Amino acid sequence: MAQEGENEAKPATTSSSSSATAPKSVQQEMVTKSTMIPSTSWFTPKRLLAMFCVINMLNYLDRGAIASNGVNGHRETCTGGTCKAGTGIQGDFKLNNFEDGVLSSAFMVGLLLASPMFASLSNSVNPFRLIGVGLSVWTLATLCCGLSFDFWSITFCRMLVGVGEASFISLAAPFIDDNAPVSQKTAWLSIFYMCIPGGYALGYVYGGLVGNHFGWRYAFWVESVLMLPFAILGFVMKPLQLKGFVPADSKKVQALETVPLGVQDAGASNRNEETHEPSKPKQTNRILNQLSLFLKDMKELLSDKVYVVNVLGYIAYNFVIGAYSYWGPKAGYSIYNMTNADMIFGGITIVCGILGTLAGGLVLDYMTNTLSNAFKLLSLTTFVGGAFCFGAFTFKSMYGFLAFFALGELLVFATQGPVNYVCLHSVKPSLRPLSMAMSTVAIHIFGDVPSAPLVGVVQDNINNWRTTALILTTIFFPAAVIWFIGIFLHSVDRYDEDSEHQVPRVEGTTTSPLLEEKKTGGTLPSQSQEC
């Protein structure tokens, strides 16, 4: 027993020959065990992916529904003594255009504030439970959106929708990456992110249909009912575990713990009791420990050149995509006199978004999903796709524009799988939730949020939508250059790298790896099973 304990305490840097004969360390155990699931669970990797895709689609269906209401709703209008009643949220609450616009982006406040919080909490609370908490907040918030009574109440509810969505955005992708087959990781991520354009477009149609036939409140209530089963599932089933995070009841972990969260404070508390000195409140210590860990993780994340370069390219890319989604129809109407510009741009986004996203993941997996290959694909597709989009706006013919713009969108959407693959694999396992959260925060704060008003300023000064669109599209090229630089960086896939503080206080379960469920026959608990 003493020899076993010594072997378990060895660092993870032991040679491969010795690790083949010696008992596995906790670090090695966490390398082989990724996401954990009860051995008798109904879940399989594909079912988990399907569930997360449905949840992601519901998130973006909600975004599309609120955008649809913004287009279809209007205030009360009076002409010649005859008044026409307002419709939608804007008509019911008598909102001006600015207030109506705030509703479409209010969720972003909650999303940006809560994403880092949920990512940090994953160090001390089971990540799967956090998703359950977030979905519960989302369900309640959408329900309250339908019950709101004025501008401020619905704005607050929309912020809570963003809070609920934050946990899912930060934590879902790591779970998918853990469970995807090694040769199909990017394809699985692409399937997940394919739900973004599909969900948004579906929400646009859904919001219009439900709003016109039953009223805008019912659109929110139906969303709440649809999400409720997934929120409940996050609490009733035994929690999954993320790679790099082990159950708190693991005996090996307990034997190797040196200075995990809270232990140092416990030792200090014992010393205080012996000297009859008062100890600090446990809650204060826990908050301080959490903040200290968050700052340490942020420092490590920002010092990772591969991750930073990837996010910088993603910011520039999202700057263009965000402005396209907001100003594209108006530019198309102005340049080519498209009478149904919103439907045309929406259709191109749906088809090219779905096909391009899937193609990007499949191509990277075919190339062999490495960080260097991901940067090659990112830079090439963005550069060529940007060139097609740029060329599209030089056409005088609407049909030439549509053909080139569709090809460009098809290529630029191919980045979704690879860019998130880099976010997940350029950092060690315990930092993946934070890496996804900070990537989301960065691309919104510096990307699509400021791009729409800045493009508006450019158009106000130039007063030529063709020139404005060309200027905006050129930003694809700096994004391609930034990702091209990533090819030459020393990049190491850190998916199997051990973290220094991978012993969170999460709920323990008797589990086995999800992908090994059929191999093990579901008979061995994690504590007694060697992988």
Side-chain angles (χ1 to χ4, degrees):
M1 294 296 293
Q3 183 179 1
E4 181 180 354
E6 292 173 1
N7 286 329
E8 289 174 0
K10 288 181 180 180
T13 55
T14 56
S15 65
S16 58
S17 59
S18 62
S19 63
T21 57
K24 293 183 177 180
S25 67
V26 172
Q27 290 87 347
Q28 290 168 322
E29 180 182 35
M30 283 179 290
V31 167
T32 56
K33 294 180 188 288
S34 56
T35 296
M36 299 295 186
I37 194 168
S39 57
T40 57
S41 173
W42 169 83
F43 270 107
T44 63
K46 290 182 179 179
R47 287 173 180 169
L48 182 71
L49 174 64
M51 184 184 80
F52 280 173
C53 284
V54 172
I55 295 172
N56 202 30
M57 186 162 288
L58 285 175
N59 279 328
Y60 282 87
L61 181 141
D62 173 73
R63 297 193 192 185
I66 193 73
S68 172
N69 180 80
V71 173
N72 296 321
H74 60 81
R75 298 182 67 179
E76 180 184 37
T77 56
C78 296
T79 55
T82 303
C83 293
K84 184 179 179 180
T87 61
I89 300 174
Q90 186 175 25
D92 285 359
F93 295 155
K94 296 179 174 57
L95 307 181
N96 57 39
N97 289 330
F98 173 77
E99 292 171 331
D100 195 35
V102 167
L103 293 184
S104 65
S105 57
F107 80 96
M108 196 72 71
V109 176
L111 179 68
L112 298 182
L113 291 177
S115 292
M117 293 174 58
F118 277 112
S120 181
L121 284 172
S122 65
N123 287 300
S124 55
V125 180
N126 180 274
F128 195 75
R129 290 286 188 253
L130 286 176
I131 290 179
V133 171
L135 296 183
S136 299
V137 173
W138 193 96
T139 302
L140 181 62
T142 51
L143 176 67
C144 291
C145 282
L147 298 172
S148 56
F149 50 87
D150 62 7
F151 169 73
W152 293 108
S153 62
I154 194 170
T155 300
F156 179 73
C157 292
R158 294 305 301 169
M159 291 180 184
L160 286 181
V161 169
V163 171
E165 187 178 329
S167 68
F168 182 75
I169 285 181
S170 304
L171 301 170
F175 275 117
I176 293 173
D177 188 63
D178 276 353
N179 288 290
V182 175
S183 61
Q184 300 176 17
K185 285 185 177 293
T186 322
W188 281 42
L189 287 173
S190 296
I191 292 172
F192 175 70
Y193 287 105
M194 174 193 72
C195 298
I196 294 177
Y200 196 95
L202 183 63
Y204 203 87
V205 176
Y206 160 82
L209 290 176
V210 176
N212 291 334
H213 289 84
F214 303 100
W216 60 268
R217 297 181 186 272
Y218 284 89
F220 291 120
W221 291 337
V222 172
E223 291 173 11
S224 182
V225 171
L226 292 175
M227 187 67 82
L228 182 60
F230 299 106
I232 295 174
L233 192 62
F235 293 100
V236 298
M237 75 170 291
K238 291 185 178 181
L240 310 184
Q241 301 291 345
L242 275 178
K243 183 179 179 67
F245 300 88
V246 297
D249 59 357
S250 171
K251 294 180 180 179
K252 292 184 177 183
V253 170
Q254 294 170 358
L256 279 178
E257 282 179 320
T258 54
V259 193
L261 291 177
V263 170
Q264 185 175 7
D265 297 315
S269 177
N270 291 336
R271 289 192 297 272
N272 287 336
E273 289 179 2
E274 292 174 0
T275 57
H276 303 288
E277 294 179 3
S279 61
K280 292 183 178 181
K282 291 183 179 180
Q283 189 65 26
T284 302
N285 290 336
R286 184 176 300 177
I287 293 174
L288 291 175
N289 280 335
Q290 197 71 43
L291 179 60
S292 175
L293 181 58
F294 172 76
L295 294 176
K296 180 182 178 182
D297 287 345
M298 279 297 301
K299 181 180 179 180
E300 182 173 354
L301 198 63
L302 295 177
S303 64
D304 190 320
K305 294 180 181 179
V306 175
Y307 175 79
V308 171
V309 166
N310 184 56
V311 173
L312 288 176
Y314 202 8
I315 289 172
Y317 163 91
N318 214 52
F319 186 96
V320 183
I321 295 297
Y324 272 177
S325 65
Y326 190 83
W327 291 114
K330 191 166 188 176
Y333 176 80
S334 175
I335 299 171
Y336 299 103
N337 296 317
M338 295 182 188
T339 55
N340 52 349
D342 54 345
M343 297 297 294
I344 292 176
F345 272 83
I348 292 176
T349 300
I350 294 171
V351 175
C352 296
I354 292 175
L355 295 180
T357 302
L358 283 176
L362 292 172
V363 170
L364 181 56
D365 285 336
Y366 179 80
M367 294 170 62
T368 303
N369 45 29
T370 64
L371 296 177
S372 178
N373 283 344
F375 278 121
K376 292 175 184 176
L377 188 61
L378 287 169
S379 58
L380 179 63
T381 57
T382 304
F383 184 85
V384 178
F388 270 104
C389 289
F390 187 90
F393 284 106
T394 64
F395 276 91
K396 293 184 178 180
S397 166
M398 182 181 72
Y399 299 104
F401 163 78
L402 292 177
F404 266 62
F405 191 73
L407 286 172
E409 289 250 290
L410 190 70
L411 287 165
V412 297
F413 271 112
T415 61
Q416 291 301 307
V419 73
N420 287 285
Y421 179 87
V422 176
C423 279
L424 290 169
H425 285 252
S426 63
V427 300
K428 62 188 180 184
S430 63
L431 286 180
R432 290 185 305 167
L434 185 62
S435 75
M436 296 303 296
M438 297 314 299
S439 171
T440 301
V441 170
I443 64 173
H444 287 312
I445 290 182
F446 303 108
D448 55 8
V449 170
S451 66
L454 287 176
V455 169
V457 171
V458 173
Q459 172 60 18
D460 287 341
N461 286 275
I462 296 177
N463 198 28
N464 185 314
W465 272 114
R466 189 188 300 274
T467 303
T468 300
L470 289 171
I471 293 173
L472 170 66
T473 304
T474 57
I475 299 177
F476 273 135
F477 301 123
V481 170
I482 293 171
W483 278 328
F484 182 75
I485 294 172
I487 300 173
F488 303 98
L489 294 177
H490 177 65
S491 57
V492 177
D493 193 323
R494 305 179 68 183
Y495 178 76
D496 288 330
E497 182 176 327
D498 300 326
S499 69
E500 298 174 357
H501 51 266
Q502 52 190 349
V503 189
R505 294 294 177 266
V506 297
E507 180 180 347
T509 59
T510 302
T511 59
S512 59
L514 181 53
L515 284 173
E516 297 180 9
E517 182 176 353
K518 294 182 180 179
K519 294 180 181 180
T520 61
T523 57
L524 295 177
S526 61
Q527 282 87 345
S528 61
Q529 178 180 343
E530 292 290 335
C531 298

